[in-house]
Amino acid sequence: MRSLIDPTSAIVYEDRARRTGSASPEAPAPASADLIDASEALQKGLWRWSPSGGWPRSDAAEAFDDAEAAAAGILAHLDEWLSDEDDVISLHRLLLERHPADEDGVRVAWSVQDALDKWGAERREQPAEEAVAPSRALRPERVFDESTASPIAEHGDRLLGGAQAAAVAGSLRTLQRWAKAGEIEPETSPYVAGRKTPLYRESALLATKERMAAAKNVRDEGGRYAEADAA
């Protein structure tokens, strides 16, 4: 859900005013209020059950880790909490209770089930870009082929970027060297906070790390054998 909140998706204010013929006193929102409200409510709700403590973080990758830690904590203590009526009620409200939207689209609360009903369990990658055409305000408008969007399964094989991907590789410099040499390619490169961010599948990072380590061992062994033969 955090990864869906993309500030670059906001409609250009000048374009909207020219197309509609009237200006709104408010700037367009970069993401739907539902998405922001639900993400905030669920992140804080899960954080209260997290064994790791700390304040919930807003970065998409960090929020994923926080939610995963909270889920692990819930599962680890589930037998104990199921014997306490107050804990059961609280967990049910956070995880399973549905809160239908009223006629104005407003919900009294958000649960994990509400989020699953609305957005599903998989994040969908951005569709391929078809063209860039000038708008009426002479600004480029990106046109996408929605049929090319496909779900990205992240359960058990996370998408990592930034510091997390660099940590698996060993260092940011190592990761950059692999990418430059064509040893690894990002699974996808969404725009996060206006910046194109390469995301790598965790399994691909580990496989590349193992392959590069094996290649280094071969080179090292070859060097030692060559020195021994020369002697």
Side-chain angles (χ1 to χ4, degrees), residues 88-217:
V88 171
I89 293 174
S90 181
L91 277 172
H92 180 266
R93 287 173 177 168
L94 173 64
L95 302 177
L96 302 175
E97 185 176 345
R98 283 185 167 92
H99 306 89
D102 62 19
E103 59 185 13
D104 296 319
V106 178
R107 299 173 192 255
V108 296
W110 282 93
S111 69
V112 172
Q113 188 61 57
D114 290 328
L116 288 173
D117 290 343
K118 187 170 181 64
W119 292 287
E122 292 179 314
R123 183 171 63 84
R124 303 187 75 84
E125 67 180 351
Q126 182 170 279
E129 190 169 305
E130 277 189 330
V132 177
S135 70
R136 293 183 181 181
L138 299 180
R139 297 178 182 270
E141 288 187 344
R142 301 166 69 190
V143 181
F144 298 99
D145 179 5
E146 296 295 336
S147 66
T148 62
S150 59
I152 302 174
E154 297 183 6
H155 180 69
D157 191 6
R158 298 179 298 167
L159 282 171
L160 304 178
Q164 288 183 316
V168 174
S171 69
L172 179 59
R173 185 175 180 180
T174 298
L175 179 59
Q176 292 172 338
R177 186 172 66 249
W178 290 353
K180 185 176 181 179
E183 297 291 344
I184 190 171
E185 293 185 1
E187 182 84 6
T188 183
S189 298
Y191 284 86
V192 179
R195 178 180 297 179
K196 192 173 185 180
T197 305
L199 299 177
Y200 300 90
R201 189 69 65 186
E202 187 172 23
S203 60
L205 287 166
L206 293 172
T208 303
K209 186 175 184 178
E210 183 178 354
R211 186 176 69 252
M212 299 302 288
K216 183 179 184 301
N217 288 338

